[in-house]
Amino acid sequence: PLIPGADWVNGQRQLAGALHVSARDRGLTLADGLFETMRAHRGVVFRLDRHVARLQRSLGVLEIPAPADLRDWVLAAIPDGAAEDVSVRLTVTRGIGASGVAPAADMEPTVIVTVNPFPVFPAAMYEHGLAIHVASGRRNEHAMTAGMKTTAYTDAIVAFLEARRAGADDSLFLDTAGHCSEATSSNLFVRAGHELVTPPTSCAALPGITVDRQFGQGEKVSILGTGPVLNRTLLNGQTVASADWFYLVQPGRSFNYA
């Protein structure tokens, strides 16, 4: 059974409340790391190989050696025969290092896997949707880490707090040119007629896993059996795109399409 608070570090299960990582780990001191959040249903992780592949691509950019056991450590952390859905987070940092930006050449990465009960959202969220605030800050499509899921989430936290002060549920980021990019922790989908359209990665959107996206191009996904229903809800009182519905999708929220 799932034990709340139990974590795995470098393939070893840690006791709840125990010390897990060093105070000198660069993931803590410099946000020098990456992560993936995944959904597991009955012990099967949704598109695990694609999550690991995306993480490995980014590890290559950061020149962090990719541990060979990433996939096995994720699977080992999921309880055998688990009936309930769980949320799995895989984090890889550069590891323990001295102060300063320059990393040593012989550092050993730190790998952390945490498994938690799948979040339950109120039915009203699915029936009535979310109130979205356009963040005052911007996603920078020219950043060297654009398209990478790094552990540096300060911008997202500040944008979420801004949305909450505005009475909204989440913030939508635009890129520096004013194009829709993504929410604080969700991909953006726009339903136009019988198609779902996603922002291209050139708008600093994270390459999605739920719907594969080619670099530099948005992707359209057909929806069968649905008639267009106009959504008259505006973002901050302004139309941001011509569409019927907006969807924000993350591993903790889901929707069904054909």
Side-chain angles (χ1 to χ4, degrees):
L2 180 65
I3 300 177
D7 304 318
W8 287 257
V9 178
N10 295 333
Q12 300 298 315
R13 190 169 191 164
Q14 308 296 309
L15 296 176
L19 297 178
H20 296 162
V21 298
S22 169
R24 297 182 182 275
D25 193 288
R26 285 172 61 101
L28 175 64
T29 60
L30 295 172
D32 190 4
L34 304 155
F35 75 99
E36 292 285 330
T37 303
M38 299 159 278
R39 179 176 185 167
H41 177 67
R42 297 188 181 276
V44 178
V45 180
F46 178 69
R47 294 192 170 180
L48 172 58
D49 290 339
R50 300 190 187 190
H51 277 285
V52 172
R54 182 171 68 178
L55 181 67
Q56 289 174 329
R57 286 195 299 269
S58 296
L59 287 171
V61 175
L62 293 183
E63 299 185 22
I64 296 176
D69 298 321
L70 287 178
R71 188 179 188 279
D72 292 340
W73 285 347
V74 169
L75 294 176
I78 301 174
D80 292 333
E84 73 276 11
D85 287 358
V86 294
S87 176
V88 184
R89 172 168 166 149
L90 168 63
T91 305
V92 181
T93 78
R94 195 177 300 272
I96 302 170
S99 60
V101 172
D106 57 348
M107 298 181 64
E108 292 290 333
T110 301
V111 180
I112 303 168
V113 181
T114 58
V115 181
N116 293 293
F118 199 73
V120 177
F121 296 98
M125 178 180 292
Y126 298 98
E127 295 171 359
H128 306 295
L130 301 172
I132 300 299
H133 168 81
V134 176
S136 60
R138 294 290 181 262
R139 281 279 189 250
N140 183 3
E141 67 274 22
H142 306 294
M144 299 183 74
T145 55
M148 296 167 57
K149 202 173 179 75
T150 73
T151 56
Y153 255 55
T154 310
D155 277 354
I157 295 169
V158 174
F160 181 85
L161 294 174
E162 182 180 79
R164 189 161 65 182
R165 290 195 300 271
D169 298 300
D170 202 353
S171 275
L172 173 67
F173 281 108
L174 308 181
D175 67 9
T176 62
H179 303 128
C180 292
S181 180
E182 59 189 1
T184 59
S185 60
S186 305
N187 289 122
L188 173 67
F189 292 82
V190 175
R191 196 189 92 178
H194 287 220
E195 292 180 325
L196 286 184
V197 182
T198 66
T201 53
S202 59
C203 295
L206 184 73
I209 297 295
T210 301
V211 175
D212 293 331
R213 187 191 292 111
Q214 298 297 322
F215 282 92
Q217 298 292 329
E219 181 169 335
K220 296 182 179 180
V221 181
S222 296
I223 306 176
L224 305 178
T226 60
V229 179
L230 182 63
N231 178 5
R232 300 183 183 277
T233 301
L234 303 178
L235 303 183
N236 286 4
Q238 301 294 324
T239 302
V240 297
S242 175
D244 301 316
W245 290 100
F246 294 92
Y247 297 93
L248 296 178
V249 181
Q250 63 174 194
R253 303 172 186 167
S254 61
F255 67 94
N256 297 318
Y257 60 89

